[in-house]
Amino acid sequence: MARFKLALAATTAFTLMAATSAQAEEGMWTFDNFPAAKVNETYGTKIDAKWLNHIQSAAVRLSNCSASVVSPEGLVLTNAHCVIACAQDLSSAENDYTQNGFFTAARTEEKTCPGQSAEILTGISDVTKDINAATSGLTGEAFVKAMNAKASELEKAGCGADQTIRCQVISFYQGGEYKLYKYRRYSDVRLVFYPEYKSGFFGGDPDNFNFPRYNLDAAFLRVYENGKVVKTPNHLKFNPNAPKENDVTFVAGNPGSTQRLMTVAQLETNRDLLIPVSQLQRSELRGRIIQFMAQSPENKRIGTDVLTNLENGFKVFYGQQLALNNPAVMDAKRAEEAALKAGMTAEDKATFGDPWADIAAAQKDVGDLYFPYFFLESAPTSSSLFTTARTIVRLAKERPKPSTERLPEFADTRLPALEKRLLNPSPVEKPLDQIQLEFRLLKAREYLTADSTVTKLLLDKESPEALAKRLIDRTKLTDIAYRKQLMDGGLAAVQASDDPMIQWALKIDDEALAVRKQYEARVTGPTRIASEKIAKIRFKAYATSTYPDATFSLRLSYGKVTGWDYRGVKITPFTDIAGLYERATGVEPYELATSWKTAEPKVDKSKVFNYVTTNDIIGGNSGSPVINAKGEVIGAAFDGNIHSLGGAYYYDSALNRTVVVSSSAIAEALKTVYDRKALLAELTGK
């Protein structure tokens, strides 16, 4: 970890991300505001509306990642780490697909990924005026409620009752714009190909967010509808040849979240409160999961996905913390903020006041409410069975209300996906679930103290260990039929249930919702109102020459294949298959999968394995197609280098790099290592 710290702490010379214009290659651009003219002038490309529409029609948003359609028969390329949960859900003690891989020879062998969906964006419409009209003059909780109600109304009007279409109102520029995104939704997504864990995540946590890399972080899915393969004539062509240095590249995907437009006060809250607390908890939980996995081979099998996600998250936020602790980063943010304020006219000041001060005032309320809100309502790492219980309880409460009056996650347009998640047949590993629920309860008592009313509500007179064990042992929520019975029976059935997890969720729900209501009134509402004002100030100064923060919505970035220089050392942009064998030590995480050991005499070691580009991406982009100027897929983005971890807050073109698994490595692996010639033929059309 020491060298990671040095790497980020030394990033003091990054170009000031002035609000006036983005750096070259910076930006996660929406498809309706992509700077095609600038890109064409810079790179000699011929990007036009037809090119953009073609890419958009084949870009896929999965439940947790990005992907692309790469054949006329619904074949979808993504990362192996994006489907590890599917592989684990389909596994058993006898068939461990996570560790051993999942390989099909015929479509009859393809298996549905529980809970997975695939969405393709089909339309974008501006609904800013509608949202602004609905929220005009409102503050606090009333503002949030009106905004959510109007979004629900617009989504319902856009999609109706058609469950194959999903509509989503998305906020851009911190509330400066609202767009209605319309998706074609596929709920039957099947696993076609997933490599062994040792291949997809070769190098493990030590190599994560580093380069050089040697990962076959690629997997294939297929979309079905009504039991039949979906025909996809608008797919992207797969080019099995690696790009060359300085070739232009595009990444089409769904970056999850950035905070580049946050105010300095918000960034300070992240730095001083939110990230440190979450990191302490990730660190301790990681230790508990490692200890659990060491107890037996079965525990190791069921804990792999959880540990991988924890370790990845820990390193991500470690990098973000270092970025925010870097004086150069915060100075640049202060300068950016000062430039916006200095450009305000007297009329602007009269109209907008000081929205930065309003957001700064809300940060005190974040501090006051954060721990009750976190442990009662929003803790991200917890028992899946408790999450199921809470969702069933709230569904029973919310469904009788008009859609516009419900909590936003229970609006009519969101119910099909929610109900699918509740009836997801993925196996629940109770021992692992118990560890996570117990940990949440232990931390609640630790942070809130034993005398807190929230702690007493959560625990009554039980210990965290005893309560977690009782709830997990005795719940019937692992039974999908029982879940459906409760969902169909409504609030009466839920209240009459003797399931201890359901009863516990009922017990704490009123207080959890009350804390949520306070948070929305004192933090979310005031922050959103002030952010909209800042967005209008920014638009007045720079129009839409800048890009919005990431919101897990479809974006397009541009860049080129190139390495970087760091402290006098030049990092070349490519690795080859030969390097994989040289890096292998025979001991995890540098142990070769048996398939790669066997294939060594015949594999073409000169093929490019991984490469890096200057594309601007963030978490959520995993699985995104990397595309050349012709619109062909030449790889799948799967990571960033260590410097890119500050990408949540700024982009540094000198150091930030996207790490890609090359199409040449994918093709060579399918052909020589795994003997999936039919899959390769479908992929290449040969």
Side-chain angles (χ1 to χ4, degrees):
M1 284 295 182
R3 70 188 176 98
F4 300 151
K5 183 173 182 178
L6 287 171
L8 275 168
T11 313
T12 57
F14 73 95
T15 304
L16 174 64
M17 187 182 66
T20 50
S21 62
Q23 296 183 60
E25 296 149 2
E26 177 186 348
M28 304 169 195
W29 299 88
T30 56
F31 270 67
D32 58 347
N33 188 38
F34 184 74
K38 176 183 175 181
V39 174
N40 290 337
E41 181 182 355
T42 303
Y43 296 101
T45 51
K46 297 180 180 179
I47 307 306
D48 57 15
K50 182 179 179 181
W51 191 96
L52 291 169
N53 289 338
H54 177 57
I55 303 302
Q56 178 181 312
S57 68
V60 176
R61 182 169 73 170
L62 300 175
S63 301
N64 55 337
C65 280
S66 300
S68 58
V69 182
V70 288
S71 93
E73 297 291 317
L75 188 67
V76 171
L77 169 65
T78 189
N79 289 154
H81 78 259
C82 292
V83 299
I84 187 174
C86 173
Q88 189 148 322
D89 287 344
L90 297 175
S91 295
S92 64
E94 295 74 31
N95 293 302
D96 187 354
Y97 297 127
T98 301
Q99 295 296 331
N100 302 327
F102 181 89
F103 312 108
T104 58
R107 291 184 186 175
T108 54
E109 299 172 358
E110 297 170 2
K111 295 187 178 183
T112 298
C113 289
Q116 187 59 273
S117 63
E119 297 175 340
I120 296 176
L121 181 63
T122 60
I124 303 172
S125 54
D126 194 329
V127 295
T128 307
K129 290 182 179 179
D130 301 272
I131 297 291
N132 287 346
T135 59
S136 178
L138 301 177
T139 60
E141 182 198 359
F143 177 93
V144 175
K145 187 174 181 180
M147 179 180 64
N148 290 334
K150 191 62 180 179
S152 172
E153 178 187 315
L154 292 166
E155 289 171 354
K156 188 170 184 178
C159 282
D162 190 343
Q163 295 192 15
T164 68
I165 300 174
R166 180 186 177 191
C167 286
Q168 181 182 14
V169 172
I170 302 174
S171 168
F172 296 99
Y173 300 100
Q174 301 288 311
E177 284 185 348
Y178 293 89
K179 301 288 182 72
L180 178 69
Y181 272 43
K182 193 171 185 178
Y183 297 90
R184 180 65 167 86
R185 193 168 193 273
Y186 302 96
S187 57
D188 185 355
V189 181
R190 304 186 190 184
L191 186 59
V192 176
F193 172 90
Y194 166 82
E196 314 91 332
Y197 187 78
K198 291 177 183 177
S199 300
F201 200 45
F202 180 82
D205 187 57
D207 274 6
N208 195 23
F209 295 109
N210 276 290
F211 195 81
R213 295 288 287 278
Y214 304 90
N215 285 46
L216 189 71
D217 200 348
F220 290 96
L221 303 166
R222 196 182 303 279
V223 288
Y224 285 74
E225 193 166 55
N226 299 321
K228 297 179 180 180
V229 169
V230 174
K231 301 300 181 181
T232 49
N234 292 326
H235 64 282
L236 300 180
K237 181 180 178 181
F238 182 90
N239 184 335
N241 300 308
K244 294 180 172 58
E245 190 165 5
N246 293 319
D247 278 0
V248 63
T249 52
F250 301 87
V251 173
N254 301 274
S257 177
T258 56
Q259 294 84 44
R260 296 180 186 179
L261 298 181
M262 273 188 172
T263 68
V264 171
Q266 289 172 299
L267 295 176
E268 288 172 342
T269 298
N270 281 7
R271 180 193 66 195
D272 300 336
L273 174 62
L274 306 188
I275 294 178
V277 168
S278 66
Q279 283 294 78
L280 283 170
Q281 294 189 44
R282 283 188 192 90
S283 180
E284 183 177 339
L285 183 57
R286 177 176 63 173
R288 290 171 181 257
I289 298 299
I290 289 172
Q291 183 181 42
F292 168 78
M293 292 173 65
Q295 293 172 3
S296 71
E298 177 63 3
N299 285 6
K300 181 179 180 180
R301 180 186 74 80
I302 65 177
T304 296
D305 185 30
V306 172
L307 179 63
T308 300
N309 286 331
L310 273 172
E311 290 185 330
N312 186 74
F314 183 86
K315 193 172 283 187
V316 165
F317 285 98
Y318 175 73
Q320 290 186 16
Q321 180 77 63
L322 289 173
L324 293 178
N325 283 334
N326 186 338
V329 173
M330 296 303 287
D331 286 348
K333 292 295 181 180
R334 291 187 185 96
E336 180 185 337
E337 209 163 274
L340 268 181
K341 291 179 181 179
M344 291 175 67
T345 64
E347 182 182 354
D348 292 335
K349 292 175 183 177
T351 302
F352 301 118
D354 188 351
W356 290 273
D358 295 338
I359 289 177
Q363 301 314 295
K364 182 181 183 301
D365 290 312
V366 174
D368 292 343
L369 295 171
Y370 178 66
F371 288 117
Y373 180 69
F374 183 89
F375 288 112
L376 271 175
E377 180 66 15
S378 70
T381 303
S382 187
S383 152
S384 64
L385 289 169
F386 167 65
T387 300
T388 296
R390 166 168 282 176
T391 306
I392 289 173
V393 165
R394 290 188 177 174
L395 177 63
K397 291 180 176 181
E398 296 295 309
R399 190 153 48 186
K401 303 175 185 177
S403 179
T404 55
E405 295 180 15
R406 298 175 197 158
L407 296 172
E409 60 268 32
F410 294 93
D412 280 343
T413 54
R414 299 174 190 182
L415 285 182
L418 182 146
E419 290 171 352
K420 181 183 178 181
R421 287 197 302 273
L422 284 176
L423 300 177
N424 180 356
S426 299
V428 177
E429 306 296 349
K430 281 193 169 185
L432 203 58
D433 222 50
Q434 182 177 324
I435 289 173
Q436 294 181 88
L437 181 58
E438 177 185 304
F439 183 77
R440 177 174 180 165
L441 295 171
L442 282 164
K443 295 296 105 178
R445 186 173 65 180
E446 177 182 325
Y447 281 86
L448 295 168
T449 78
D451 295 320
S452 161
T453 55
V454 172
T455 305
K456 291 177 179 178
L457 175 67
L458 289 170
L459 295 175
D460 196 9
K461 293 185 179 297
E462 290 186 88
S463 69
E465 296 87 350
L467 177 59
K469 179 173 174 53
R470 177 174 68 82
L471 295 177
I472 298 295
D473 280 352
R474 299 181 186 178
T475 186
K476 296 176 282 187
L477 291 174
T478 52
D479 183 350
I480 302 300
Y482 183 64
R483 295 185 196 180
K484 190 170 190 316
Q485 177 186 328
L486 292 175
M487 292 165 63
D488 292 344
L491 188 57
V494 167
Q495 291 174 332
S497 169
D498 62 357
D499 188 279
M501 189 70 83
I502 289 288
Q503 288 303 314
W504 189 65
L506 272 169
K507 172 188 170 185
I508 68 175
D509 200 51
D510 286 347
E511 184 62 26
L513 289 171
V515 169
R516 173 172 169 167
K517 186 176 181 179
Q518 284 189 67
Y519 199 88
E520 290 178 348
R522 295 165 57 185
V523 178
T524 308
T527 300
R528 178 53 61 90
I529 292 168
S531 295
E532 286 188 4
K533 292 178 180 178
I534 294 172
K536 290 173 182 176
I537 295 167
R538 184 178 284 111
F539 281 147
K540 186 175 179 181
Y542 314 119
T544 54
S545 62
T546 59
Y547 57 93
D549 266 324
T551 52
F552 199 50
S553 55
L554 186 61
R555 306 295 179 88
L556 188 65
S557 69
Y558 62 92
K560 62 183 178 180
V561 178
T562 187
W564 73 98
D565 294 303
Y566 183 69
R567 290 185 170 179
V569 177
K570 181 172 179 58
I571 313 297
T572 58
F574 300 104
T575 64
D576 56 26
I577 292 177
L580 168 71
Y581 290 99
E582 292 167 5
R583 200 172 186 84
T585 66
V587 179
E588 290 186 355
Y590 298 103
E591 183 179 15
L592 287 173
T594 301
S595 58
W596 283 87
K597 292 179 186 176
T598 303
E600 183 174 5
K602 55 184 179 178
V603 72
D604 184 348
K605 293 183 179 180
S606 69
K607 295 287 187 181
V608 171
F609 206 145
N610 295 162
Y611 61 89
V612 294
T613 76
T614 59
N615 290 85
D616 190 4
I617 69 167
I618 201 74
N621 269 120
S622 290
S624 296
V626 179
I627 301 162
N628 63 18
K630 296 179 180 179
E632 299 168 334
V633 174
I634 52 173
F638 71 91
D639 206 356
N641 64 354
I642 195 69
H643 308 287
S644 72
L645 291 175
Y649 308 115
Y650 67 93
Y651 172 81
D652 182 357
S653 61
L655 294 176
N656 287 31
R657 293 295 180 269
T658 291
V659 184
V660 185
V661 55
S662 173
S663 57
S664 62
I666 296 170
E668 180 66 15
L670 292 176
K671 174 186 174 183
T672 308
V673 179
Y674 299 106
D675 192 28
R676 302 292 107 180
K677 292 185 176 61
L679 178 56
L680 181 60
E682 178 184 356
L683 189 61
T684 60
K686 298 178 181 178

